[in-house]
Amino acid sequence: VVQQAAASGHEIGGHTVNHVDIVTLYKSDTNTLKSELEGCATDIRSHIPGIRYLSFAYPYGSGWQQSADAAAARMFVKRWYINGRGVNGAEGNIGPVGYDRYNDYKTFADYYYQTGGVDIGETVTITTFVGYLESALRNGGWTILMYHTPSAYSRQLDSILARKDSLWITTYENATRYHKERNTAVMSPISITDSLWTFRLTDGYLPDSIYDHPLTVRMKVPPLVQIEAIKQNGQFLPFRQDTALQFNAVPDNGDVLIYKKDTVYPWCDSNLLAAPRHLTYRVLSSSKIYLSWDTLSANACIKDYEVYMDDMLIATSFINSWTVTGLNDTKIYKFYVKARNFRDKISPSNNIIYARIDTIASSVPQNLKCTGTTLNSITVCWNASTDNIAVASYEVYVNNVFFASTKDTCFTITELSVNKFYLVYVRASDEGGNTSAASKTINIKTSDLEEFQHEISVYPNPSANDFYLNISSPETTFSEIIISDITGEIRIVQKRNNRTKYD
C-alpha cells in the first residue's frame, strides 16, 4: 500500500520506528534515539528504493517546542530530514506567515523544524476548514493540513480544488524545498542578444540532489517584446506572458534560454507533431470535468494544446490537462484536443471522448462476508453494486483506513498479523468519481498458529490412501494443527488423541 501511495505522488515521511517521544528519549538515551530516526529512514528506503524521504512528523507532537531539550532533539532530526512538523494552530507556532518571514528563515534555519500542522478530524466543520484556507491566502504563507482519517479529506476536497488557482496544493516536502530554494535563489544574466536572452538560475549552497524543485520566475520584459519559447536543459518550459513573463525553472539545472518571437527553431521536427494520445476525464463536481492527455516529444516543439468541447475551441492549455467548468449533469459533452507547435502548425485531434457529469453514487455493496482466512490474510466477498451509468471499482477499508481498490467483488487483504481482529467494509466507486456509502462493517480474525519445536513421525498407509502423524509432545494440547503439502496448499488437521489423521 505504501509503495502504491508513493508511486501515485504521495509523500512518505518519517515518524520514528516505534512512535517514541524524541524529546524524552533524547534526555535518556541518545543512541536509541539515533536508531529510531535512522532505522525509520533505512526501513522505508528498503521498501521504496529511490524515495527522497525528507519530511518528519514528531510523534505526540513533541519536538517543535522552543525548549532547550526540544532544540537539542531536533539536532538529531536534521541529520536525516529537511523539516519537522508538530501539531498546533493552522499557521504553526512560528510558521512562515507572509513573505516578510522569508528573511527570518534565511537566518534561523531551525524554523523549518518548528512548523505546526492543524489536525483535520471528523469534527472540523467545512466553515472552519475554509477558514484555514482563507488564512493562507490572506497572509501569503502556508497552512499545513494533517489528516488521520481519509473520510474527512474526501468531504473537503471540493473546497480545496475551488481555490487551486490561488493556492499551491502540494506536499510538506515540496513546500519546504521550494521555500528554501526561494530563500537562496539568484537569477543572473549571462548574455543578451536581439533574439536570445540567456540567464543562470542558482540556489547557492543547497545540494542539487535534494533541492531540484522548479521555482516560479516572474520577470519584466521590455514593452512590445513577445517571447516565443523558453528552454532549459534541452526541454521547453511552459510560460505565460501578460504584464510580465512567468515560467518555472529548476535551479542549477542549466542555463535558461529565452527566445524572442520570430526566432528560427531548427530543432523543431514537424513530423513529430501528432495528435495527443489517451485523452481521459474525471468528474470533479456537479459542474466541473478534469481532462488530461499524454504529452508529445520535446522535439515536436509543442507550444500549447487546444481544447475543444462540442467542436468549439474553449481553451488553450500550456500543460497536458484542463479543467472545464460551467457544465450541467443533463447533457453529454464531446471533447478532443489538438497540439500546436512553435511554428503554429496544428496537429489532428486526438481520440474523441464523450463525458457526462454523474453526481449519483452507486448503490451500497451488500452481503459483505468473509470467505476465508489464513495466518496473515483475509478474503472477503460481496454482492455487486448497481449504478446509473457504471460501477468503476470497489474501495476496501481495513480498520477505517483505505487499503486498496478492485474491480472484482472479492478481495484478499494481505500482510496482516496472526490471530488478530480486523474491521472491514467496502464502498463502490463509479466512473464519475462518486463513492457510495459504506457497506456493513464485519469483524474478522486471522488464523492462529502456535509455533512449536517437536519431533514428528509420519506413518504411511498406502492401502487406505492416507497417513498418520505421531507428535512427541504429550505435555502440549493442540486445538488444531496446520500442515502445508508439497504444493504449498494449507490443510487443517483436527487432533485425535496422540494420533492425527491427515484427510
Side-chain angles (χ1 to χ4, degrees), residues 365-483:
Q366 299 293 326
N367 196 28
L368 176 66
K369 59 185 179 181
C370 173
T371 59
T373 63
T374 68
L375 298 175
N376 54 15
S377 71
I378 293 171
T379 299
V380 293
C381 293
W382 57 90
N383 294 345
S385 297
T386 58
D387 190 81
N388 61 318
I389 298 179
V391 176
S393 62
Y394 296 93
E395 299 175 353
V396 180
Y397 290 77
V398 179
N399 290 343
N400 296 315
V401 176
F402 173 77
F403 185 86
S405 63
T406 178
K407 295 182 180 296
D408 302 321
T409 54
C410 287
F411 185 79
T412 299
I413 305 164
T414 59
E415 299 183 8
L416 304 179
S417 299
V418 175
N419 192 31
K420 184 176 179 180
F421 281 98
Y422 291 90
L423 297 174
V424 180
Y425 64 85
V426 179
R427 298 177 186 268
S429 179
D430 62 20
E431 294 182 350
N434 304 297
T435 304
S436 74
S439 69
K440 68 176 183 180
T441 300
I442 57 177
N443 197 12
I444 314 168
K445 189 178 82 166
T446 52
S447 302
D448 186 15
L449 171 65
E450 181 178 354
E451 296 185 355
F452 62 94
Q453 295 290 334
H454 298 298
E455 180 182 350
I456 300 177
S457 300
V458 179
Y459 297 87
N461 187 353
S463 62
N465 198 29
D466 56 26
F467 65 88
Y468 294 88
L469 299 180
N470 186 70
I471 303 174
S472 300
S473 181
E475 75 282 357
T476 304
T477 300
F478 299 101
S479 60
E480 66 181 19
I481 302 172
I482 298 176
I483 301 175

Side-chain angles (χ1 to χ4, degrees), residues 338-349:
K338 298 180 180 181
R340 180 172 58 177
N341 67 14
F342 284 105
R343 293 174 175 170
D344 285 328
K345 291 187 177 181
I346 299 177
S347 76
S349 63

Side-chain angles (χ1 to χ4, degrees), residues 273-279 306-308 311 334-339 346-353:
L273 181 63
R277 301 178 59 191
H278 302 134
L279 175 64
E306 295 182 342
V307 182
Y308 291 81
D311 296 321
K334 173 184 177 182
F335 292 103
Y336 55 87
V337 175
K338 298 180 180 181
I346 299 177
S347 76
S349 63
N350 59 3
N351 58 298
I352 296 174
I353 62 171

Side-chain angles (χ1 to χ4, degrees), residues 31-32 41 57 63 87 89 119 148 181 192 195 224 234 246 269-270 293 298 319 323 341 345 358 442 482 485 502:
N31 287 330
T32 300
V87 182
D119 189 359
H148 278 107
E181 290 176 354
I192 304 294
S195 60
L224 304 179
Q246 180 172 313
D269 187 350
S270 295
W293 54 90
I319 59 177
T323 298
N341 67 14
K345 291 187 177 181
D358 175 19
I442 57 177
I482 298 176
D485 62 20
Y502 178 83

Side-chain angles (χ1 to χ4, degrees), residues 161-346:
L161 292 177
R163 293 162 177 80
K164 67 181 181 63
D165 293 333
S166 303
L167 287 172
W168 181 32
I169 306 165
T170 189
T171 62
Y172 183 35
E173 169 197 314
N174 284 343
T176 303
R177 289 196 295 147
Y178 187 97
H179 202 276
K180 288 188 177 183
E181 290 176 354
R182 161 64 171 78
N183 283 348
T184 58
V186 175
M187 189 163 178
S188 307
I190 302 301
S191 67
I192 304 294
T193 69
D194 289 340
S195 60
L196 175 64
W197 303 340
T198 302
F199 290 86
R200 185 162 298 160
L201 178 63
T202 62
D203 57 10
Y205 63 89
L206 298 177
D208 297 337
S209 60
I210 294 176
Y211 295 94
D212 58 356
H213 196 285
L215 288 177
T216 299
V217 178
R218 188 167 176 84
M219 57 186 296
K220 293 182 178 181
V221 296
L224 304 179
V225 171
Q226 292 295 311
I227 303 304
E228 186 70 37
I230 303 177
K231 292 183 71 176
Q232 184 186 35
N233 196 22
Q235 300 294 318
F236 285 95
L237 305 181
F239 68 92
R240 183 177 68 197
Q241 185 177 5
D242 39 45
T243 56
L245 179 64
Q246 180 172 313
F247 57 92
N248 293 337
V250 177
D252 300 317
N253 191 42
D255 291 345
V256 177
L257 310 178
I258 302 177
Y259 295 87
K260 294 170 59 178
K261 202 173 184 64
D262 299 325
T263 303
V264 178
Y265 308 100
W267 61 82
C268 290
D269 187 350
S270 295
N271 293 325
L272 296 177
L273 181 63
R277 301 178 59 191
H278 302 134
L279 175 64
T280 60
Y281 80 96
R282 176 163 54 90
V283 176
L284 298 181
S285 70
S286 60
S287 62
K288 298 179 183 179
I289 283 180
Y290 176 79
L291 301 173
S292 63
W293 54 90
D294 291 351
T295 57
L296 296 178
S297 166
N299 287 335
C301 298
I302 301 304
K303 181 178 182 180
D304 52 37
Y305 297 92
E306 295 182 342
V307 182
Y308 291 81
M309 181 177 73
D310 295 337
D311 296 321
M312 297 285 293
L313 176 63
I314 61 169
T316 299
S317 175
F318 297 107
I319 59 177
N320 61 321
S321 64
W322 187 259
T323 298
V324 185
T325 60
L327 307 178
N328 63 68
D329 57 4
T330 62
K331 183 179 177 182
I332 297 176
Y333 295 91
K334 173 184 177 182
F335 292 103
Y336 55 87
V337 175
K338 298 180 180 181
R340 180 172 58 177
N341 67 14
F342 284 105
R343 293 174 175 170
D344 285 328
K345 291 187 177 181
I346 299 177

